[in-house]
Amino acid sequence: MKRYLCLLLALCFCLVSLSGCGSQGKGSQGTSISDAAGSDYGYDYDGAVENTELPGGISADAVVIAADPTRKLIYTAEVSIETEAYETDYSALVQSVKAVGGYVSNEEVRGAVPQHYGDVGRNSYMEARIPTDKFEEFMQTLNEVGRITSRSMNVDDVTDEYYDVEARIEMLEKRYAKFEEHMERATEMSDIIELENEMSQILYELDVLKGSKRHIDNRIEYSTVRIELREVVKAEAVTASEGNLGSRAGDAFLNTLQGMGVFFEDLFVFLVGALPVLIILGVLAVVILFLVRRSAKKRKKNRPANGLPQAPEVIAPQPESAAEKEPEQSETQLPEKKE
């Protein structure tokens, strides 16, 4: 009985231990799920956002600037916006860029003001450079402009590259200082020339590395935001073609005549511009035609007057008739035997 009681207690202890391990495993699993959820929304280990894309708007939690100042991060974002009030929203975008101390580094506008049914409207492609400390504030202001159809953001961690460039600059500067000390003590002209060459090479490498560092600093201090503003044309914002059928047909006929006039004007300008080439081609054509005709005349003179001699007619042999064959057979009879 005691043995069964000990076995029962041991079994209960094992069950309690297994349940504890299971609860601990569930807790660790919950942590991994939350970490995965955080990674889905673009959060990495240092609190930065990477490859975040949430179409339809930008939430406040989607833009997080890294709190660690030692990390060198480059922020870039792309936003597509649709608007029915193009001019108002375009002005709002430009004012938002200026309000945070940024500037527009590149811009392209396509299309025209819609006036008739079927016009596609205008598209504006803008590349704005925004101070990184104002990046989050600027991204929030875009929610107030038109309707966001797509948005993506990326963070490029260039910490290793940045500090590697700094280390190389420091190493080259120390090396250059040592060469300066050797230059002060050098007395031979050959040594001086060799040291000058080495120092010139170091200065060239330093200039390249410092330029690269300035470029990285600029990209770190100013984030890049590419914005596409697309105009949506409402039906009531444009009008159909005015006038009756006759006036519209007349306008179309006049437009066709004007187009033909422009075409012939352009053709005349093209011919005048290409006149030297056309003259050369014309001279070549005349020379080739003259040579062809001359060759044809020579071949005509070499022919006989009555033309080429005719080939003699070949008479095909006629089959012999049966009547003509009979005498030949009689003549070829065997001689008679003597009695």
Side-chain angles (χ1 to χ4, degrees), residues 255-266:
N255 291 333
T256 303
L257 291 180
Q258 292 178 357
M260 292 177 62
V262 172
F263 170 76
F264 284 113
E265 288 179 0
D266 295 339

Side-chain angles (χ1 to χ4, degrees), residues 27 48 97 111 127 129 153 160 178 189 244 250 267 277 285 294 327:
V97 173
E127 185 174 300
R129 302 299 306 279
M153 192 176 72
D160 296 337
K178 290 182 180 180
M189 183 58 66
N244 54 19
L267 180 62
V277 179
R294 185 177 179 181

Side-chain angles (χ1 to χ4, degrees), residues 46 48 64-77 100-101 103 128-136 154-166 209-225:
D46 58 359
V64 178
I65 303 299
D68 189 0
T70 61
R71 306 205 65 82
K72 304 300 180 180
L73 305 176
I74 298 175
Y75 293 85
T76 58
V100 296
Y103 62 94
R129 302 299 306 279
I130 307 298
T132 302
D133 56 350
K134 299 289 185 179
F135 180 73
E136 183 175 357
N154 181 65
V155 179
D156 188 11
D157 191 345
V158 294
T159 305
D160 296 337
E161 179 184 355
Y162 185 84
Y163 288 119
D164 180 63
V165 171
E166 276 194 343
L209 291 174
K210 289 180 179 180
S212 177
K213 183 175 178 296
R214 286 193 298 268
H215 179 67
I216 296 175
D217 284 333
N218 181 263
R219 295 175 63 194
I220 292 173
E221 294 175 2
Y222 283 84
S223 302
T224 303
V225 182

Side-chain angles (χ1 to χ4, degrees), residues 292-325:
V292 171
R293 288 185 176 181
R294 185 177 179 181
S295 177
K297 288 180 180 180
K298 286 183 179 181
R299 288 197 302 269
K300 188 175 181 181
K301 288 181 180 180
N302 294 332
R303 292 178 182 176
N306 295 330
L308 297 175
Q310 296 180 356
E313 296 181 358
V314 178
I315 301 175
Q318 298 291 333
E320 297 179 355
S321 60
E324 294 177 351
K325 291 182 179 180

Side-chain angles (χ1 to χ4, degrees), residues 112-232:
V113 179
Q115 296 179 351
H116 302 288
Y117 179 77
D119 292 347
V120 296
R122 293 160 286 184
N123 284 2
S124 177
Y125 302 89
M126 183 186 305
E127 185 174 300
R129 302 299 306 279
I130 307 298
T132 302
D133 56 350
K134 299 289 185 179
F135 180 73
E136 183 175 357
E137 177 183 348
F138 176 76
M139 296 296 287
Q140 296 304 318
T141 59
L142 295 181
N143 291 323
E144 303 173 1
V145 179
R147 183 173 67 88
I148 295 177
T149 58
S150 67
R151 196 267 303 169
S152 64
M153 192 176 72
N154 181 65
V155 179
D156 188 11
D157 191 345
V158 294
T159 305
D160 296 337
E161 179 184 355
Y162 185 84
Y163 288 119
D164 180 63
V165 171
E166 276 194 343
R168 293 172 63 186
I169 291 174
E170 184 179 357
M171 180 189 66
L172 289 174
E173 288 178 345
K174 290 180 180 180
R175 187 178 177 187
Y176 186 81
K178 290 182 180 180
F179 278 119
E180 283 184 333
E181 294 176 0
H182 290 302
M183 179 68 75
E184 293 177 357
R185 295 192 301 266
T187 56
E188 299 291 335
M189 183 58 66
S190 59
D191 296 338
I192 294 174
I193 293 174
E194 185 177 357
L195 288 171
E196 286 180 349
N197 292 334
E198 292 290 340
M199 294 171 69
S200 298
Q201 182 65 27
I202 291 174
L203 288 176
Y204 173 76
E205 294 179 5
L206 280 173
D207 185 54
V208 173
L209 291 174
K210 289 180 179 180
S212 177
K213 183 175 178 296
R214 286 193 298 268
H215 179 67
I216 296 175
D217 284 333
N218 181 263
R219 295 175 63 194
I220 292 173
E221 294 175 2
Y222 283 84
S223 302
T224 303
V225 182
R226 299 179 181 91
I227 305 170
E228 178 188 5
L229 183 64
R230 187 168 64 88
E231 184 176 17
V232 179

